[in-house]
Amino acid sequence: MRAEVAAWCREEALFTAGDRVLCALSGGADSTAMLWCLHSLREELGITVAAAHFNHRLRGEESDRDEAFVREFCKAHGIPLTVGSAEVAQYAKTHGQTLEEAARECRYAFLQSLPCDKLATAHTADDNAETVLLHLLRGSGLRGLCGIPPKRGNVVRPLLSVTRAQIVAYLQAEGIAWVEDSTNTEEFCTRNRLRRRVMPALYALSPRLSKRLTTQSRLLREEDAYLDSLAAALLQEKNGVYARAPLLAAPEVLQRRALRLMARRVLPQDVSFAHIDAMRRILASEKPSAQCALPQGFVARRRYDGMELVRETEESFPVTALQIPGETVIPALGMKITCEIAENFKKIANTPFRFAVKYDMITQSILQVRSRRRGDRMSVDGVHSKTLKKLFIERRIPRAERDRTAVLASGDAVLAVAGIGADLRYTPAAGEPAAILQIEFQ
């Protein structure tokens, strides 16, 4: 087994010379074999090896027994060891997680907090076979059938090419003891039921099943990576907005994959097929502001000829009374509005961010800066009025920006909108008293 592990590590480029390798050590057969094998290969691979053990405190005396075992093992063989622990059951209750989810989260948080170049976990060919079959049962696509990757980030799997039978034979030949986790015999989770009931029958039909699935997983990963490269080329992004045209022109299979890659850039885990399907509908929709919800508060939404993924946040800002004359700063918008009074107004060229309004409009009630409201209307020609919603659509102002567009209002009357300009019905004639407003972004 030792030679096979060394060959696997080289083929998959799991380590580089000088790596500090931290082995996640539970005390079970798999992790003990991994630590012992890498410890014996450290000079050949040019690495240093240490161990880390996490006590989940879920199995009472048995958990303490495991910790005592790994401490004694590492001390006996001069292997540096770091031990951590947490009350996982309480953590699961507090965070609304299953024990399995909480245990994994706490364990990896501990392991990733320790200094190392590579974190080695003891997943085997049998673990990979079980994972592939579980994904198949759940209706996984190609990504799920790729199984457990040999490396992801700084996490590496040196034992992924060997079976549990090889591991047990290796430990026995080396005279190395290990401990057994009693929960492995319980059938409270799907993986354990698959391992105890289904896998023996499959191995009876195909004794080399796990090895064959390891080879298949490698081939599928290569094909998956190639398809990803084709899909990634479709993601033409500028300022967080992805162009629609290349995606709509692509075959459906690449379109779905590109959308999954897009989601992967903002979310830690892959989204479901239902989410991808919803994103495809948004992409193809004729509505320029269509959107759909994604996990963790994100939304996918159209921006006319593009599509973006953003975290949904409160879009409005506090109503602010305008200082007349003077300066008004709106921190939420990074905006400053300067107002000056002209008793004898001389005509100016109105622009989207500099304009004049009749003085009597700002003396009838407090002039406010606020976000848009249902029913808001204004006139850009001095005769006909339109709703702000329609004006925003006509001027292709993205939906995400509409509720953060400053509206200057006197009572229910909209006098002006930042970026559009003044309502021409409320602009003064030459010689009339007026307020001249200048909007700047800080």
Side-chain angles (χ1 to χ4, degrees):
M1 189 189 90
R2 183 179 181 277
E4 187 171 344
V5 169
W8 172 261
C9 291
R10 292 192 184 95
E11 288 171 12
E12 297 296 335
L14 300 189
F15 306 115
T16 56
D19 274 349
R20 297 169 300 164
V21 180
L22 184 68
C23 295
L25 177 64
S26 69
D30 297 346
S31 65
T32 302
M34 177 184 69
L35 175 62
W36 185 244
C37 189
L38 290 183
H39 179 66
S40 68
L41 287 168
R42 64 191 185 281
E43 292 184 3
E44 184 177 334
L45 297 175
I47 59 177
T48 60
V49 176
H53 174 79
F54 187 75
N55 188 336
H56 301 89
R57 302 200 181 285
L58 289 174
R59 293 178 288 119
E61 292 182 0
E62 190 174 289
S63 292
D64 294 333
R65 177 211 66 182
D66 294 352
E67 180 180 326
F69 170 80
V70 299
R71 285 185 182 277
E72 183 178 345
F73 180 85
C74 290
K75 182 179 179 181
H77 298 288
I79 300 172
L81 172 70
T82 305
V83 175
S85 67
E87 296 295 338
V88 170
Q90 183 59 47
Y91 183 91
K93 184 177 180 181
T94 302
H95 292 80
Q97 296 176 321
T98 66
L99 285 177
E100 188 176 11
E101 290 170 341
R104 187 182 188 280
E105 190 169 301
C106 290
R107 180 172 66 253
Y108 271 92
F110 162 68
L111 293 170
Q112 293 287 12
S113 72
L114 302 177
C116 66
D117 298 305
K118 301 290 170 56
L119 172 61
T121 62
H123 293 91
T124 67
D126 297 85
D127 291 318
N128 182 66
E130 293 163 6
T131 297
V132 169
L133 291 173
L134 283 171
H135 286 161
L136 186 63
L137 292 173
R138 294 166 183 163
S140 168
L142 178 59
R143 175 57 57 91
L145 299 183
C146 290
I148 302 172
K151 54 186 175 183
R152 178 179 289 150
N154 75 327
V155 178
V156 296
R157 280 96 183 199
L159 299 189
L160 208 50
S161 68
V162 297
T163 64
R164 289 198 182 96
Q166 287 178 281
I167 285 169
V168 170
Y170 171 73
L171 290 174
Q172 291 174 340
E174 295 287 315
I176 301 296
W178 68 91
V179 291
E180 293 286 354
D181 182 343
S182 61
T183 62
N184 287 339
T185 63
E186 299 173 1
E187 297 188 1
F188 61 89
C189 69
T190 304
R191 183 178 288 271
N192 276 9
R193 291 195 295 274
L194 180 72
R195 181 178 295 169
R196 292 178 59 80
R197 299 184 188 182
V198 179
M199 297 307 293
L202 292 177
Y203 285 133
L205 292 171
S206 177
R208 291 184 53 80
L209 175 66
S210 61
K211 294 280 191 178
R212 287 172 177 162
L213 288 180
T214 296
T215 301
Q216 173 186 284
S217 293
R218 174 183 278 179
L219 294 174
L220 291 179
R221 279 194 298 273
E222 292 173 357
E223 294 177 8
D224 188 57
Y226 175 68
L227 290 173
D228 270 357
S229 69
L230 296 180
L234 302 175
L235 297 179
Q236 299 179 16
E237 179 262 342
K238 183 178 181 180
N239 298 325
V241 179
Y242 296 88
R244 289 177 67 217
L247 291 165
L248 290 174
E252 184 177 318
V253 63
L254 284 181
Q255 189 182 108
R256 286 198 305 265
R257 183 172 286 263
L259 292 173
R260 189 176 296 279
L261 291 177
M262 188 190 301
R264 202 175 290 160
R265 292 181 179 181
V266 297
L267 291 166
Q269 294 182 330
D270 275 348
V271 294
S272 68
F273 180 82
H275 287 120
I276 297 298
D277 195 45
M279 290 172 70
R280 288 188 64 241
R281 290 196 297 272
I282 297 304
L283 189 71
S285 173
E286 295 301 320
K287 296 180 179 179
S289 299
Q291 68 178 43
C292 67
L294 297 176
Q296 300 189 19
F298 279 87
V299 295
R301 61 190 176 200
R302 283 277 305 282
R303 286 196 62 172
Y304 294 99
D305 293 330
M307 186 175 186
E308 64 180 352
L309 272 59
V310 294
R311 191 182 292 277
E312 188 78 303
T313 58
E314 181 60 46
E315 298 290 355
S316 61
F317 52 92
V319 176
T320 305
L322 200 66
Q323 296 296 315
I324 305 173
E327 291 184 352
T328 304
V329 176
I330 306 175
L333 301 180
M335 177 184 289
K336 180 177 75 174
I337 303 177
T338 304
C339 178
E340 61 176 278
I341 301 299
E343 295 292 343
N344 186 13
F345 176 65
K346 295 180 180 179
K347 272 290 186 180
I348 64 171
N350 282 332
T351 71
F353 295 101
R354 187 172 188 268
F355 40 79
V357 296
K358 292 180 179 180
Y359 185 73
D360 61 354
M361 292 300 301
I362 65 175
T363 57
Q364 291 174 5
S365 62
I366 297 174
L367 186 59
Q368 295 179 328
V369 183
R370 59 169 173 80
S371 58
R372 64 172 178 159
R373 294 175 181 169
R374 186 182 295 275
D376 278 346
R377 305 180 71 88
M378 71 177 292
S379 172
V380 293
D381 63 6
V383 180
H384 306 96
S385 69
K386 295 181 180 181
T387 63
L388 294 192
K389 179 179 180 180
K390 188 170 184 179
L391 282 172
F392 287 160
I393 292 173
E394 289 176 352
R395 292 167 184 258
R396 298 170 68 89
I397 296 175
R399 181 174 180 174
E401 297 175 12
R402 295 173 192 171
D403 288 336
R404 294 182 59 80
T405 298
V407 175
L408 282 71
S410 177
D412 291 331
V414 174
L415 305 188
V417 175
I420 294 179
D423 185 317
L424 293 186
R425 295 173 299 179
Y426 304 129
T427 57
E432 292 183 337
I436 301 174
L437 301 163
Q438 174 73 46
I439 298 174
E440 299 175 1
F441 291 92
Q442 300 177 311

